[in-house]
Amino acid sequence: MAGKPKLHYTKGRGKMESIRWLLAAAGVEFEEEFIETKEDLEKLRNDGVLLFQQVPMVEIDGMKMVQTRAILSYIAAKYNLYGKDLKERAWIDMYVEGTTDLMGMIMYLPFQPADTKQKNLALIIERATTRYFPVYEKALKDHGQDYLVGNKLSWADVHLLEAILMVEECKADVLSAFPLLQAFKGRISNIATIKKFLQPGSQRKPPTDENFVAVVRKIFNI
């Protein structure tokens, strides 16, 4: 039997957090090896295990996988969270790309200069409520099912819940105009594996704070 996947990244959310979410939703236990110094990162680079000299890197099924999107789609396919056919996969991909764009805006917010943060925070809320959330609200309304694609839990649902919770950390009542998304959030949060991941003490990481920003800047020279 293969060992647990091993995740190599910093001790924070960043691009690895969606990978943690997807593994947790699939009920897969994983280990983490944290990059805490510039030397830790250099060692991985010098060992030749980072295909493009970048993390996230996940050791899984005898591979050392890099590139967030490649890792996520592999996990989704492996654990039957990627639709039943090409069309469903295409919809999952589209929905995931949308939430990835939105989460990317939030991910980079703590690294921005103080004088632009407020403006960018307002832009995140505006994009969430006018560009992204209406799409998912309409999808749930149009097919009247519990999940975004194929009436079965998929990567798209897990990713959307992660995005919703991230936006709610920016503005608590952001779902007030989206009743179907509110219900969706409740349903998906109560799936046993996800509920477990949302409990204190899980491998879910806290929101990025100034201390973590300082650590990341040091490790990656930014």
Side-chain angles (χ1 to χ4, degrees), residues 71-123:
I71 297 165
L72 284 164
S73 54
Y74 181 84
I75 294 165
K78 179 177 169 76
Y79 295 105
N80 202 20
L81 294 165
Y82 211 177
K84 70 177 187 301
D85 55 31
L86 271 177
K87 278 192 175 175
E88 285 196 358
R89 188 166 288 199
W91 277 105
I92 290 166
D93 283 341
M94 285 192 281
Y95 288 144
V96 163
E97 288 297 320
T99 38
T100 299
D101 290 346
L102 178 57
M103 289 195 285
M105 293 172 74
I106 300 170
M107 203 184 297
Y108 293 115
L109 190 65
F111 294 88
Q112 292 166 355
D115 57 345
T116 61
K117 266 187 195 168
Q118 214 47 45
K119 187 180 78 175
N120 288 321
L121 181 59
L123 181 63

Short mmCIF file of all heavy atoms in Angstrom, two decimals, residues 71-123:
data_model
loop_
_atom_site.label_atom_id
_atom_site.label_comp_id
_atom_site.label_asym_id
_atom_site.label_seq_id
_atom_site.Cartn_x
_atom_site.Cartn_y
_atom_site.Cartn_z
N ILE A 71 -1.60 19.10 -9.87
CA ILE A 71 -1.78 18.32 -8.63
C ILE A 71 -3.26 18.17 -8.33
O ILE A 71 -3.76 17.07 -8.04
CB ILE A 71 -1.05 19.01 -7.46
CG1 ILE A 71 0.46 19.06 -7.70
CG2 ILE A 71 -1.36 18.28 -6.14
CD1 ILE A 71 1.21 20.02 -6.78
N LEU A 72 -4.00 19.28 -8.40
CA LEU A 72 -5.42 19.26 -8.08
C LEU A 72 -6.22 18.37 -9.03
O LEU A 72 -7.07 17.60 -8.60
CB LEU A 72 -5.99 20.69 -8.10
CG LEU A 72 -5.64 21.56 -6.89
CD1 LEU A 72 -5.91 23.03 -7.20
CD2 LEU A 72 -6.42 21.13 -5.65
N SER A 73 -5.94 18.47 -10.32
CA SER A 73 -6.72 17.66 -11.27
C SER A 73 -6.39 16.18 -11.12
O SER A 73 -7.26 15.32 -11.28
CB SER A 73 -6.53 18.14 -12.72
OG SER A 73 -5.18 18.20 -13.06
N TYR A 74 -5.15 15.86 -10.75
CA TYR A 74 -4.78 14.46 -10.50
C TYR A 74 -5.56 13.92 -9.30
O TYR A 74 -6.14 12.82 -9.36
CB TYR A 74 -3.27 14.36 -10.25
CG TYR A 74 -2.79 12.95 -10.01
CD1 TYR A 74 -2.51 12.10 -11.07
CD2 TYR A 74 -2.64 12.46 -8.71
CE1 TYR A 74 -2.08 10.79 -10.85
CE2 TYR A 74 -2.22 11.15 -8.48
CZ TYR A 74 -1.93 10.33 -9.55
OH TYR A 74 -1.52 9.02 -9.34
N ILE A 75 -5.57 14.69 -8.21
CA ILE A 75 -6.30 14.26 -7.00
C ILE A 75 -7.79 14.12 -7.29
O ILE A 75 -8.43 13.15 -6.90
CB ILE A 75 -6.05 15.25 -5.84
CG1 ILE A 75 -4.58 15.21 -5.41
CG2 ILE A 75 -6.97 14.96 -4.65
CD1 ILE A 75 -4.16 16.39 -4.54
N ALA A 76 -8.34 15.10 -8.01
CA ALA A 76 -9.78 15.07 -8.34
C ALA A 76 -10.12 13.83 -9.14
O ALA A 76 -11.12 13.14 -8.86
CB ALA A 76 -10.17 16.33 -9.11
N ALA A 77 -9.29 13.50 -10.14
CA ALA A 77 -9.55 12.32 -10.97
C ALA A 77 -9.36 11.03 -10.17
O ALA A 77 -10.16 10.11 -10.26
CB ALA A 77 -8.64 12.33 -12.19
N LYS A 78 -8.32 10.99 -9.37
CA LYS A 78 -8.00 9.78 -8.59
C LYS A 78 -9.11 9.43 -7.60
O LYS A 78 -9.43 8.27 -7.40
CB LYS A 78 -6.67 10.00 -7.84
CG LYS A 78 -6.22 8.81 -6.97
CD LYS A 78 -4.88 9.12 -6.33
CE LYS A 78 -4.50 8.10 -5.27
NZ LYS A 78 -4.04 6.82 -5.81
N TYR A 79 -9.71 10.46 -7.01
CA TYR A 79 -10.71 10.21 -5.97
C TYR A 79 -12.15 10.48 -6.43
O TYR A 79 -13.03 10.77 -5.64
CB TYR A 79 -10.37 11.02 -4.71
CG TYR A 79 -9.07 10.54 -4.11
CD1 TYR A 79 -7.89 11.28 -4.25
CD2 TYR A 79 -9.00 9.31 -3.46
CE1 TYR A 79 -6.69 10.82 -3.74
CE2 TYR A 79 -7.80 8.84 -2.95
CZ TYR A 79 -6.65 9.60 -3.09
OH TYR A 79 -5.45 9.12 -2.59
N ASN A 80 -12.34 10.39 -7.76
CA ASN A 80 -13.70 10.43 -8.33
C ASN A 80 -14.44 11.73 -8.00
O ASN A 80 -15.62 11.72 -7.67
CB ASN A 80 -14.49 9.21 -7.83
CG ASN A 80 -15.66 8.89 -8.74
OD1 ASN A 80 -15.69 9.30 -9.90
ND2 ASN A 80 -16.65 8.19 -8.22
N LEU A 81 -13.71 12.83 -8.09
CA LEU A 81 -14.30 14.16 -7.84
C LEU A 81 -14.21 15.02 -9.11
O LEU A 81 -14.21 16.24 -9.04
CB LEU A 81 -13.56 14.87 -6.69
CG LEU A 81 -13.71 14.22 -5.31
CD1 LEU A 81 -12.67 14.78 -4.35
CD2 LEU A 81 -15.12 14.42 -4.75
N TYR A 82 -14.15 14.33 -10.27
CA TYR A 82 -13.89 15.07 -11.52
C TYR A 82 -14.91 14.75 -12.61
O TYR A 82 -14.59 14.77 -13.80
CB TYR A 82 -12.46 14.73 -11.98
CG TYR A 82 -11.75 15.82 -12.74
CD1 TYR A 82 -10.43 15.66 -13.16
CD2 TYR A 82 -12.35 17.04 -13.05
CE1 TYR A 82 -9.75 16.62 -13.86
CE2 TYR A 82 -11.68 18.03 -13.76
CZ TYR A 82 -10.38 17.81 -14.15
OH TYR A 82 -9.70 18.79 -14.86
N GLY A 83 -16.15 14.47 -12.20
CA GLY A 83 -17.21 14.26 -13.19
C GLY A 83 -17.17 12.88 -13.82
O GLY A 83 -16.20 12.14 -13.68
N LYS A 84 -18.24 12.57 -14.56
CA LYS A 84 -18.35 11.22 -15.16
C LYS A 84 -17.94 11.19 -16.63
O LYS A 84 -17.75 10.14 -17.21
CB LYS A 84 -19.77 10.68 -15.00
CG LYS A 84 -20.83 11.39 -15.84
CD LYS A 84 -22.20 10.73 -15.65
CE LYS A 84 -23.24 11.30 -16.61
NZ LYS A 84 -23.45 12.75 -16.50
N ASP A 85 -17.82 12.37 -17.26
CA ASP A 85 -17.44 12.41 -18.67
C ASP A 85 -16.75 13.74 -18.98
O ASP A 85 -16.59 14.59 -18.11
CB ASP A 85 -18.66 12.21 -19.58
CG ASP A 85 -19.78 13.20 -19.29
OD1 ASP A 85 -19.48 14.35 -18.87
OD2 ASP A 85 -20.97 12.85 -19.49
N LEU A 86 -16.37 13.90 -20.24
CA LEU A 86 -15.61 15.10 -20.64
C LEU A 86 -16.39 16.39 -20.43
O LEU A 86 -15.83 17.41 -20.04
CB LEU A 86 -15.20 15.00 -22.11
CG LEU A 86 -13.86 14.32 -22.40
CD1 LEU A 86 -13.64 14.23 -23.90
CD2 LEU A 86 -12.71 15.09 -21.75
N LYS A 87 -17.69 16.34 -20.70
CA LYS A 87 -18.50 17.55 -20.54
C LYS A 87 -18.57 17.98 -19.08
O LYS A 87 -18.43 19.16 -18.76
CB LYS A 87 -19.91 17.34 -21.10
CG LYS A 87 -20.00 17.52 -22.60
CD LYS A 87 -21.42 17.59 -23.08
CE LYS A 87 -21.45 17.90 -24.58
NZ LYS A 87 -22.81 17.85 -25.12
N GLU A 88 -18.80 17.01 -18.20
CA GLU A 88 -18.83 17.36 -16.77
C GLU A 88 -17.48 17.89 -16.32
O GLU A 88 -17.40 18.85 -15.56
CB GLU A 88 -19.24 16.13 -15.93
CG GLU A 88 -20.73 15.83 -16.03
CD GLU A 88 -21.22 14.89 -14.94
OE1 GLU A 88 -20.40 14.43 -14.11
OE2 GLU A 88 -22.44 14.62 -14.91
N ARG A 89 -16.43 17.27 -16.83
CA ARG A 89 -15.07 17.73 -16.48
C ARG A 89 -14.85 19.17 -16.96
O ARG A 89 -14.24 19.97 -16.25
CB ARG A 89 -14.05 16.79 -17.11
CG ARG A 89 -12.63 17.05 -16.67
CD ARG A 89 -11.72 15.90 -17.04
NE ARG A 89 -11.96 14.74 -16.21
CZ ARG A 89 -11.10 13.74 -16.05
NH1 ARG A 89 -9.93 13.77 -16.69
NH2 ARG A 89 -11.37 12.71 -15.28
N ALA A 90 -15.36 19.47 -18.13
CA ALA A 90 -15.22 20.83 -18.67
C ALA A 90 -15.93 21.85 -17.77
O ALA A 90 -15.40 22.94 -17.50
CB ALA A 90 -15.77 20.90 -20.09
N TRP A 91 -17.14 21.50 -17.31
CA TRP A 91 -17.86 22.40 -16.40
C TRP A 91 -17.13 22.56 -15.08
O TRP A 91 -17.02 23.66 -14.54
CB TRP A 91 -19.30 21.89 -16.17
CG TRP A 91 -20.21 22.32 -17.27
CD1 TRP A 91 -20.71 21.57 -18.29
CD2 TRP A 91 -20.72 23.65 -17.48
NE1 TRP A 91 -21.49 22.33 -19.12
CE2 TRP A 91 -21.52 23.62 -18.64
CE3 TRP A 91 -20.57 24.86 -16.81
CZ2 TRP A 91 -22.17 24.75 -19.15
CZ3 TRP A 91 -21.20 25.99 -17.30
CH2 TRP A 91 -21.99 25.92 -18.46
N ILE A 92 -16.63 21.44 -14.56
CA ILE A 92 -15.86 21.51 -13.31
C ILE A 92 -14.66 22.43 -13.49
O ILE A 92 -14.38 23.29 -12.66
CB ILE A 92 -15.44 20.10 -12.85
CG1 ILE A 92 -16.68 19.31 -12.36
CG2 ILE A 92 -14.38 20.17 -11.75
CD1 ILE A 92 -16.46 17.82 -12.19
N ASP A 93 -13.95 22.26 -14.61
CA ASP A 93 -12.79 23.10 -14.89
C ASP A 93 -13.17 24.58 -14.95
O ASP A 93 -12.47 25.44 -14.39
CB ASP A 93 -12.14 22.70 -16.22
CG ASP A 93 -11.31 21.43 -16.12
OD1 ASP A 93 -10.93 21.06 -14.98
OD2 ASP A 93 -11.03 20.82 -17.16
N MET A 94 -14.26 24.89 -15.63
CA MET A 94 -14.68 26.30 -15.74
C MET A 94 -15.01 26.89 -14.37
O MET A 94 -14.58 28.00 -14.03
CB MET A 94 -15.88 26.43 -16.68
CG MET A 94 -15.52 26.29 -18.14
SD MET A 94 -16.86 26.78 -19.25
CE MET A 94 -17.92 25.33 -19.21
N TYR A 95 -15.77 26.13 -13.59
CA TYR A 95 -16.14 26.63 -12.25
C TYR A 95 -14.90 26.80 -11.38
O TYR A 95 -14.77 27.79 -10.64
CB TYR A 95 -17.12 25.66 -11.57
CG TYR A 95 -18.52 25.68 -12.17
CD1 TYR A 95 -19.27 24.51 -12.25
CD2 TYR A 95 -19.10 26.86 -12.63
CE1 TYR A 95 -20.56 24.51 -12.78
CE2 TYR A 95 -20.38 26.87 -13.17
CZ TYR A 95 -21.10 25.70 -13.23
OH TYR A 95 -22.38 25.71 -13.75
N VAL A 96 -13.99 25.84 -11.45
CA VAL A 96 -12.77 25.90 -10.64
C VAL A 96 -11.89 27.09 -11.05
O VAL A 96 -11.33 27.78 -10.20
CB VAL A 96 -11.98 24.56 -10.73
CG1 VAL A 96 -10.54 24.73 -10.26
CG2 VAL A 96 -12.68 23.48 -9.91
N GLU A 97 -11.79 27.31 -12.36
CA GLU A 97 -10.97 28.45 -12.82
C GLU A 97 -11.54 29.77 -12.29
O GLU A 97 -10.79 30.68 -11.93
CB GLU A 97 -10.90 28.48 -14.35
CG GLU A 97 -10.03 27.38 -14.95
CD GLU A 97 -8.57 27.47 -14.54
OE1 GLU A 97 -8.02 28.58 -14.46
OE2 GLU A 97 -7.98 26.42 -14.25
N GLY A 98 -12.87 29.87 -12.24
CA GLY A 98 -13.50 31.08 -11.70
C GLY A 98 -13.15 31.28 -10.24
O GLY A 98 -12.72 32.38 -9.83
N THR A 99 -13.32 30.24 -9.44
CA THR A 99 -13.01 30.39 -8.01
C THR A 99 -11.51 30.58 -7.79
O THR A 99 -11.10 31.28 -6.86
CB THR A 99 -13.52 29.18 -7.18
OG1 THR A 99 -13.35 27.98 -7.93
CG2 THR A 99 -14.98 29.33 -6.84
N THR A 100 -10.68 30.00 -8.65
CA THR A 100 -9.22 30.21 -8.55
C THR A 100 -8.88 31.67 -8.76
O THR A 100 -8.05 32.24 -8.03
CB THR A 100 -8.48 29.33 -9.58
OG1 THR A 100 -8.75 27.96 -9.31
CG2 THR A 100 -6.97 29.56 -9.51
N ASP A 101 -9.51 32.30 -9.73
CA ASP A 101 -9.27 33.73 -9.98
C ASP A 101 -9.64 34.57 -8.76
O ASP A 101 -8.91 35.46 -8.35
CB ASP A 101 -10.07 34.21 -11.20
CG ASP A 101 -9.54 33.64 -12.52
OD1 ASP A 101 -8.42 33.10 -12.52
OD2 ASP A 101 -10.25 33.73 -13.54
N LEU A 102 -10.80 34.26 -8.19
CA LEU A 102 -11.28 35.02 -7.04
C LEU A 102 -10.36 34.78 -5.83
O LEU A 102 -9.96 35.73 -5.14
CB LEU A 102 -12.72 34.60 -6.71
CG LEU A 102 -13.38 35.25 -5.49
CD1 LEU A 102 -13.40 36.77 -5.61
CD2 LEU A 102 -14.81 34.71 -5.31
N MET A 103 -10.01 33.54 -5.58
CA MET A 103 -9.14 33.24 -4.44
C MET A 103 -7.74 33.82 -4.62
O MET A 103 -7.10 34.21 -3.65
CB MET A 103 -9.07 31.73 -4.19
CG MET A 103 -10.36 31.17 -3.64
SD MET A 103 -10.20 29.51 -2.94
CE MET A 103 -10.10 28.50 -4.38
N GLY A 104 -7.30 33.90 -5.87
CA GLY A 104 -5.99 34.50 -6.14
C GLY A 104 -5.94 35.95 -5.69
O GLY A 104 -4.94 36.41 -5.11
N MET A 105 -7.02 36.68 -5.92
CA MET A 105 -7.08 38.09 -5.50
C MET A 105 -6.94 38.19 -3.97
O MET A 105 -6.25 39.07 -3.46
CB MET A 105 -8.41 38.72 -5.92
CG MET A 105 -8.58 38.86 -7.42
SD MET A 105 -10.26 39.41 -7.86
CE MET A 105 -10.19 41.14 -7.36
N ILE A 106 -7.60 37.27 -3.27
CA ILE A 106 -7.56 37.29 -1.79
C ILE A 106 -6.18 36.85 -1.29
O ILE A 106 -5.63 37.42 -0.35
CB ILE A 106 -8.66 36.39 -1.21
CG1 ILE A 106 -10.04 36.88 -1.66
CG2 ILE A 106 -8.58 36.34 0.31
CD1 ILE A 106 -11.19 35.93 -1.34
N MET A 107 -5.62 35.86 -1.96
CA MET A 107 -4.32 35.31 -1.56
C MET A 107 -3.22 36.36 -1.58
O MET A 107 -2.34 36.39 -0.72
CB MET A 107 -3.96 34.17 -2.52
CG MET A 107 -2.98 33.15 -1.99
SD MET A 107 -2.57 31.94 -3.27
CE MET A 107 -4.15 31.16 -3.58
N TYR A 108 -3.28 37.25 -2.58
CA TYR A 108 -2.21 38.24 -2.72
C TYR A 108 -2.47 39.52 -1.93
O TYR A 108 -1.58 40.36 -1.79
CB TYR A 108 -1.98 38.56 -4.21
CG TYR A 108 -1.42 37.37 -4.95
CD1 TYR A 108 -2.15 36.74 -5.96
CD2 TYR A 108 -0.18 36.82 -4.61
CE1 TYR A 108 -1.65 35.62 -6.62
CE2 TYR A 108 0.32 35.71 -5.25
CZ TYR A 108 -0.41 35.11 -6.26
OH TYR A 108 0.09 34.00 -6.89
N LEU A 109 -3.66 39.67 -1.38
CA LEU A 109 -4.01 40.90 -0.66
C LEU A 109 -3.04 41.21 0.49
O LEU A 109 -2.58 42.35 0.60
CB LEU A 109 -5.46 40.80 -0.15
CG LEU A 109 -6.08 42.08 0.43
CD1 LEU A 109 -6.21 43.16 -0.65
CD2 LEU A 109 -7.44 41.79 1.05
N PRO A 110 -2.70 40.24 1.35
CA PRO A 110 -1.81 40.57 2.48
C PRO A 110 -0.41 41.01 2.05
O PRO A 110 0.33 41.59 2.85
CB PRO A 110 -1.73 39.24 3.27
CG PRO A 110 -2.89 38.43 2.81
CD PRO A 110 -3.13 38.82 1.40
N PHE A 111 -0.04 40.72 0.81
CA PHE A 111 1.31 41.06 0.33
C PHE A 111 1.35 42.44 -0.34
O PHE A 111 2.40 42.88 -0.80
CB PHE A 111 1.80 39.99 -0.65
CG PHE A 111 2.02 38.65 0.00
CD1 PHE A 111 0.97 37.73 0.11
CD2 PHE A 111 3.25 38.32 0.54
CE1 PHE A 111 1.16 36.51 0.73
CE2 PHE A 111 3.45 37.09 1.17
CZ PHE A 111 2.41 36.19 1.26
N GLN A 112 0.20 43.11 -0.41
CA GLN A 112 0.13 44.39 -1.10
C GLN A 112 0.42 45.55 -0.14
O GLN A 112 0.22 45.43 1.07
CB GLN A 112 -1.24 44.55 -1.75
CG GLN A 112 -1.44 43.58 -2.91
CD GLN A 112 -2.89 43.47 -3.36
OE1 GLN A 112 -3.78 44.05 -2.77
NE2 GLN A 112 -3.11 42.69 -4.40
N PRO A 113 0.87 46.68 -0.69
CA PRO A 113 1.15 47.85 0.16
C PRO A 113 -0.13 48.31 0.88
O PRO A 113 -1.23 48.21 0.33
CB PRO A 113 1.61 48.92 -0.85
CG PRO A 113 1.91 48.20 -2.11
CD PRO A 113 1.12 46.94 -2.11
N ALA A 114 0.05 48.82 2.08
CA ALA A 114 -1.08 49.21 2.93
C ALA A 114 -2.01 50.21 2.23
O ALA A 114 -3.24 50.14 2.36
CB ALA A 114 -0.57 49.80 4.24
N ASP A 115 -1.42 51.11 1.44
CA ASP A 115 -2.25 52.16 0.83
C ASP A 115 -3.15 51.65 -0.30
O ASP A 115 -4.08 52.34 -0.71
CB ASP A 115 -1.37 53.32 0.32
CG ASP A 115 -0.32 52.86 -0.68
OD1 ASP A 115 -0.08 51.64 -0.76
OD2 ASP A 115 0.25 53.72 -1.38
N THR A 116 -2.88 50.44 -0.79
CA THR A 116 -3.74 49.90 -1.86
C THR A 116 -4.68 48.80 -1.36
O THR A 116 -5.58 48.37 -2.06
CB THR A 116 -2.89 49.31 -3.02
OG1 THR A 116 -2.10 48.24 -2.51
CG2 THR A 116 -1.99 50.36 -3.64
N LYS A 117 -4.44 48.35 -0.12
CA LYS A 117 -5.21 47.20 0.40
C LYS A 117 -6.71 47.46 0.43
O LYS A 117 -7.50 46.61 0.04
CB LYS A 117 -4.71 46.83 1.80
CG LYS A 117 -3.68 45.73 1.78
CD LYS A 117 -3.33 45.27 3.17
CE LYS A 117 -2.05 44.46 3.12
NZ LYS A 117 -1.50 44.21 4.44
N GLN A 118 -7.09 48.65 0.92
CA GLN A 118 -8.52 48.92 1.07
C GLN A 118 -9.23 48.92 -0.27
O GLN A 118 -10.32 48.38 -0.43
CB GLN A 118 -8.71 50.28 1.79
CG GLN A 118 -9.92 50.37 2.70
CD GLN A 118 -10.09 49.18 3.64
OE1 GLN A 118 -9.16 48.71 4.26
NE2 GLN A 118 -11.32 48.66 3.72
N LYS A 119 -8.55 49.53 -1.27
CA LYS A 119 -9.12 49.58 -2.62
C LYS A 119 -9.26 48.17 -3.20
O LYS A 119 -10.27 47.81 -3.81
CB LYS A 119 -8.20 50.43 -3.52
CG LYS A 119 -8.75 50.71 -4.90
CD LYS A 119 -7.79 51.56 -5.72
CE LYS A 119 -6.66 50.71 -6.24
NZ LYS A 119 -5.74 51.42 -7.15
N ASN A 120 -8.23 47.33 -2.98
CA ASN A 120 -8.26 45.98 -3.52
C ASN A 120 -9.25 45.09 -2.78
O ASN A 120 -9.86 44.20 -3.38
CB ASN A 120 -6.86 45.37 -3.48
CG ASN A 120 -5.95 45.99 -4.53
OD1 ASN A 120 -6.37 46.26 -5.65
ND2 ASN A 120 -4.71 46.24 -4.18
N LEU A 121 -9.43 45.35 -1.49
CA LEU A 121 -10.43 44.61 -0.72
C LEU A 121 -11.82 44.91 -1.27
O LEU A 121 -12.64 44.00 -1.46
CB LEU A 121 -10.34 44.99 0.76
CG LEU A 121 -11.31 44.28 1.70
CD1 LEU A 121 -11.10 42.77 1.67
CD2 LEU A 121 -11.15 44.81 3.13
N ALA A 122 -12.08 46.19 -1.54
CA ALA A 122 -13.38 46.58 -2.12
C ALA A 122 -13.58 45.92 -3.49
O ALA A 122 -14.69 45.49 -3.83
CB ALA A 122 -13.45 48.10 -2.25
N LEU A 123 -12.49 45.81 -4.27
CA LEU A 123 -12.57 45.18 -5.59
C LEU A 123 -12.90 43.69 -5.45
O LEU A 123 -13.70 43.15 -6.24
CB LEU A 123 -11.25 45.36 -6.34
CG LEU A 123 -11.18 44.76 -7.75
CD1 LEU A 123 -12.20 45.43 -8.68
CD2 LEU A 123 -9.78 44.89 -8.33
#
